């Protein structure tokens, strides 16, 4: 029964915290337009053209096995 003296204030704290966060979200217009951001990702008009890739040959850092090694 003594645990209720601890749990009730903790529950009231979390309820008041949830109310404060909800009121902050409403005040800062977080719920104004829920659909626009979802559609913005589908209709992205500011896509940049890819840069021209340089025509330098690719150099493989791993030596091939055809190289003769000195096995002394």
């Amino acid at each position: 029964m003594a645990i209720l003296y601890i749990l009730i204030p903790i529950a009231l704290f979390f309820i008041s915290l949830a109310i404060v966060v909800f009121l902050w979200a409403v005040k800062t217009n977080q719920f104004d337009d829920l659909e626009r951001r979802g559609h913005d990702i589908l209709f992205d008009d500011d896509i940049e053209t890819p840069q021209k890739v340089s025509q330098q040959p690719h150099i493989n850092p791993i030596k091939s096995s055809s190289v003769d090694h000195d096995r002394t």
Side-chain angles (χ1 to χ4, degrees):
M1 193 68 167
I3 193 72
L4 289 177
Y5 294 121
I6 297 172
L7 290 179
I8 290 175
I10 291 174
L12 292 174
F13 171 74
F14 281 121
I15 289 171
S16 63
L17 181 68
I19 290 171
V20 168
V21 169
F22 176 74
L23 293 176
W24 168 82
V26 170
K27 182 179 177 183
T28 59
N29 299 326
Q30 297 293 321
F31 300 115
D32 276 355
D33 189 8
L34 298 176
E35 296 297 322
R36 189 188 69 176
R37 288 293 174 198
H39 291 294
D40 282 349
I41 197 168
L42 297 175
F43 304 109
D44 196 12
D45 293 332
D46 58 352
I47 297 175
E48 296 179 13
T49 57
Q51 298 291 332
K52 207 175 209 185
V53 179
S54 64
Q55 298 297 325
Q56 295 177 355
H58 177 69
I59 300 172
N60 193 355
I62 301 174
K63 293 183 180 181
S64 65
S65 62
S66 65
V67 176
D68 294 333
H69 296 286
D70 186 20
R71 297 182 188 213
T72 55

